[in-house]
Amino acid sequence: MSSNAARAGHGESRQDAILDAAERAFAADGYQGAAMRAIAEAAGVAQGLIHYHFKTKEKLFEAMVARRSDQINARRAALVAALFAQGDPPRLEQIVEALFRPTIETGLDLARDGGAFARILVSFANSADPRDQKLIEVHYDPIAQTFIDALMRVEPGLSRADAVWAYMFAIGVGMTMMAKTGRPARLSGGICDDGDAEAMLSRIVPFICGGVRALVEG
Amino acid sequence: MSSNAARAGHGESRQDAILDAAERAFAADGYQGAAMRAIAEAAGVAQGLIHYHFKTKEKLFEAMVARRSDQINARRAALVAALFAQGDPPRLEQIVEALFRPTIETGLDLARDGGAFARILVSFANSADPRDQKLIEVHYDPIAQTFIDALMRVEPGLSRADAVWAYMFAIGVGMTMMAKTGRPARLSGGICDDGDAEAMLSRIVPFICGGVRALVEG
DNA sequence: GTCTATAGTTCGATAGAC
DNA sequence: GTCTATCGAACTATAGAC
């Protein structure tokens, strides 16, 4: 067994430990706010080791994004493919659900990080910084095209331009679900809870589908 | 005339010059990424003067947010009030337009900043950082309640919980309009342009109204 | 009110032993 | 592959002259 294979006791390499700590730190404090020192301490490794494995802070961030994105988007692609592999064509509602469920379940499933990666996505998706957009282009534009195509297949009245806008708007709505700001509770006197992803999905899906169909009719 | 009254030649106090430079810097580099040194240089003042007027970086940020927010939200409140002051009740479409137009026009109207404040709002609205949420609570929750009430008045079938969710989702969609990431052009091969706020509004308004009405019917 | 100069801290990255 | 130790360059904030 090589020295960096499964670590004794918890089956995680030091590289993974660093990526996990980085994910939490970037989610909590942002890219600029997260310190390499703090990430090293949280990962239980020396700061120098991070630079040995990932060279720079920026490359560490990219590796962290790539790891989780590839995992999420493989699942999203599989869900869409499965929907179209059935006998009759899927409903719009199923496409929209496939858009979000893998992301929220990656956050909940791993549980340990309290949706850290989802929070990174939120501060990321709407960034105009060319560095962020480059990462989005590489890791998210291909799956976006898959969903845009899917929207046009299930709603034949939708033009390509409208499908692109619809996708962007849908992502914008989804961000409000992943941000977990606590604002819905504040605005509603406690009635609305943005910590309940399942409850939010049940409102987000009809909202987006209503929006998409309004574009079709317009 | 006191020494800090209208500056010779361009009628702007040094405090305003600092706030303008801060707005641009925070928009371009984020809160952590924007340096007091750079803000001072852009404003054409000594770094010490910023601390004299605003004490700390955090208080400077708050003052910058307060200035523009109060301006935008006064305009939004006036638009909603005017809509309900007419004879017959306004349409949902008019409420949604009143939600966004003052913000995009503050960006375009001032022109000089290329929508800098809108970009700050984007990186701001979805932040779970307690400091950001405190600012949102103070400067945006009151106007949010105004719009939530307006939604319930023009769509009587909407429950309060649904109106709060609808408001949150609408803001999420609006963020995709203000972010100016260039992604729509990338995804559409150049057909969609997120630099054209007016064209985006004409899609965003029907999308959101379709979403709201879907919640009513649901 | 505005400036210069700098104190005091923290950061990303590297060097070199093991 | 991993550590300790440290360099050099930022940063925010303050002190004090004008």
Side-chain angles (χ1 to χ4, degrees), chain A residues 80-91:
Chain A
V80 173
L83 286 175
F84 283 105
Q86 295 171 345
D88 26 37
R91 301 188 60 228

Side-chain angles (χ1 to χ4, degrees), chain A residues 21 25 33-48 50-51 57 60:
Chain A
M36 297 293 270
R37 286 176 147 77
I39 294 172
E41 189 179 10
V45 304
Q47 190 182 345
I50 304 185
H51 287 97
K57 185 181 186 181
L60 169 63

